[in-house]
Amino acid sequence: MLGNTYTYRLADWITDLVLIQEAGFDAVALNTGPDCWQKASADLAYQAAAILNTPLKLYWSFDMNTFPQAGDEDAVKIAAYINEYATNPYTFKVNGVPFVSTFSGDQYSSSFGKSVCGGWDYVRSLVPTDMYFVPAFFFANNQTIAGVKDCVQGLFQWNSAWSMDDGEVSKSTDHNWATQLGANKTYMAGISPTFFSHYPEEGLNKNWVYRANNNYAKRWQQATEINAPMVQVISWNDFGESHYIGPRPSSVQLQPTNTTWVNANNHLPWARITKPYIETYKTGKPAALGSDLIVWEYRTHPANATARADPMGLPERAELLKDEIYITAYLSAPAEVRVQVGTLEGKFQAEAGLNHFTQPFEPGFVTVGMWRDGENVGGTLTGEREIVAEPTLYDFNPVVEQFFHDPAWEACKA
């Protein structure tokens, strides 16, 4: 989200692009609004890509809830963004033309003074290179997939990333959209680790959490099983909705106002565990590795806890969440993974490669370690935040921790 890059300078973009490339991604969606400073931040992203000479590509994703789309002049502005970088070597292209996406863009009865398809076809007519258009439409006002198929190359199902009802996240939405699009169109599936916002009524009025029990691992598995042509991870830095897989904000100016639930929670371990998911999605299995990585996530209070000093109520759908720690172990060789929280201890037998485990939690600190042949390997690690029975404020933004062990590093001598 360019909207959360206000303080970014070139070094910040270089850092982010290196981290994203290391995680195995092919491209970065530059989700932008109409503010001129967001465009300036995108320019820095392209400069950073050129300095790094990175294989990582960039593409526009227009937030059409913020861009006006009343008439021709608004369409010209959108096209100008696309045209400026249409032939840039660091722009993500499909079939030789720039890939373009949106968040929304079909929410009104007309787009750019025309029908939905008429408006976006007009934008296309202003792009000499043409564009590979895969928007995230939400189909308000009785719009349908059939009604827009002729003006898009595909569709991004944003809300496929989470369960939108009381059940677990599933592939049903993926199958539905892919079937309606047909074989000649690109279906892009959404993947996300969680969703939690706690904004008051007088603000954004978003106080809910989606059912997201080990959601990141589940969605990667589902996207792999359906062989989705494209996937997009939501998100790198949307702090207000808690689904960022990058580091915590480096400045309070990057953090949306009053987002107390973001204050202490680093999510970068989610990015670190993404590469084997991507490898499995692309090739059917993760690459073998010589080191060990264990990533785990947990909340800092039970789902049914009562907050002592929170002026807002319990988030909607909180009752759907389980009091569990979700562990992913990406190992070089078999090992026993141990998880201690309060008086509870779990011992899990892991094989080489990707493993997933679940441990119920109670109040206390979370400690994780690894054993081979009865010997502890690499010590243990205790998470920086404690699980408490009675929080001060509601916080359903997961804590994400990692344990890393490299035998080669331990064997080297000074």
Side-chain angles (χ1 to χ4, degrees), residues 116-396:
V116 171
C117 264
W120 285 106
D121 279 343
Y122 181 60
V123 172
R124 185 188 300 277
S125 75
L126 301 173
V127 179
T129 60
D130 201 358
M131 62 181 183
Y132 199 91
F133 188 42
V134 182
F137 285 167
F138 291 87
F139 298 108
N141 299 311
N142 298 315
Q143 299 288 344
T144 63
I145 291 176
V148 301
K149 281 176 63 174
D150 291 342
C151 62
V152 301
Q153 280 62 59
L155 289 171
F156 172 30
Q157 216 310 16
W158 180 276
N159 283 329
S160 66
W162 311 273
S163 169
M164 302 299 291
D165 55 31
D166 292 351
E168 293 285 355
V169 66
S170 76
K171 296 176 286 189
S172 59
T173 300
D174 300 306
H175 287 305
N176 184 12
W177 277 48
T179 299
Q180 291 186 66
L181 274 171
N184 295 324
K185 299 290 183 178
T186 297
Y187 172 67
M188 178 184 279
I191 296 175
S192 189
T194 193
F195 188 112
F196 166 60
S197 285
H198 198 48
Y199 291 106
E201 290 184 11
E202 60 272 18
L204 293 178
N205 191 24
K206 291 169 61 176
N207 183 28
W208 65 77
V209 60
Y210 288 154
R211 182 171 185 158
N213 301 315
N214 204 23
N215 205 71
Y216 201 48
K218 288 178 181 177
R219 276 304 287 165
W220 271 113
Q221 180 179 355
Q222 290 170 359
T224 300
E225 289 173 350
I226 67 168
N227 196 27
M230 288 187 178
V231 298
Q232 184 178 139
V233 170
I234 308 167
S235 63
W236 179 254
N237 68 335
D238 190 341
F239 307 117
E241 293 183 352
S242 305
H243 45 58
Y244 56 101
I245 68 166
R248 73 191 86 194
S250 59
S251 164
V252 292
Q253 282 186 289
L254 296 177
Q255 187 170 324
T257 304
N258 296 325
T259 50
T260 56
W261 57 94
V262 183
N263 290 346
N265 292 6
N266 175 41
H267 286 180
L268 190 57
W270 269 333
R272 297 264 163 79
I273 201 64
T274 297
K275 191 169 186 178
Y277 291 141
I278 292 176
E279 291 169 342
T280 303
Y281 164 73
K282 288 183 174 182
T283 69
K285 64 179 182 179
L289 74 167
S291 57
D292 303 296
L293 177 64
I294 304 174
V295 171
W296 63 99
E297 61 183 273
Y298 62 93
R299 293 190 320 277
T300 54
H301 62 73
N304 64 354
T306 299
R308 296 192 305 271
D310 198 321
M312 300 172 60
L314 187 69
E316 295 177 22
R317 299 183 176 180
E319 72 280 359
L320 301 177
L321 299 181
K322 299 176 182 178
D323 295 339
E324 295 174 334
I325 302 165
Y326 301 109
I327 307 107
T328 299
Y330 184 32
L331 304 184
S332 61
E336 182 177 81
V337 176
R338 299 182 187 179
V339 182
Q340 178 80 42
V341 54
T343 64
L344 303 177
E345 182 179 28
K347 296 181 180 181
F348 306 98
Q349 304 306 312
E351 301 298 325
L354 272 174
N355 303 264
H356 300 287
F357 306 112
T358 300
Q359 169 63 42
F361 74 66
E362 65 182 19
F365 282 99
V366 181
T367 300
V368 173
M370 182 174 63
W371 275 254
R372 286 194 173 113
D373 299 322
E375 297 290 332
N376 176 247
V377 178
T380 61
L381 182 67
T382 298
E384 63 181 352
R385 296 193 64 191
E386 182 182 10
I387 299 172
V388 298
E390 189 178 273
T392 302
L393 301 172
Y394 289 116
D395 185 357
F396 287 80

Side-chain angles (χ1 to χ4, degrees), residues 97-108:
V97 301
F99 185 90
V100 176
S101 191
T102 69
F103 180 85
S104 195
D106 67 322
Q107 70 271 47
Y108 305 117

Side-chain angles (χ1 to χ4, degrees), residues 50-106:
I51 289 171
L52 293 168
N53 192 24
T54 176
L56 196 66
K57 306 302 181 184
L58 310 173
Y59 67 91
W60 292 115
S61 176
F62 297 102
D63 185 347
M64 298 310 299
N65 285 336
T66 59
F67 273 97
Q69 45 186 312
D72 289 2
E73 182 179 346
D74 298 322
V76 168
K77 290 178 180 177
I78 295 292
Y81 278 78
I82 301 168
N83 290 332
E84 181 173 355
Y85 288 106
T87 60
N88 188 286
Y90 299 102
T91 292
F92 180 47
K93 303 178 184 73
V94 177
N95 298 334
V97 301
F99 185 90
V100 176
S101 191
T102 69
F103 180 85
S104 195
D106 67 322

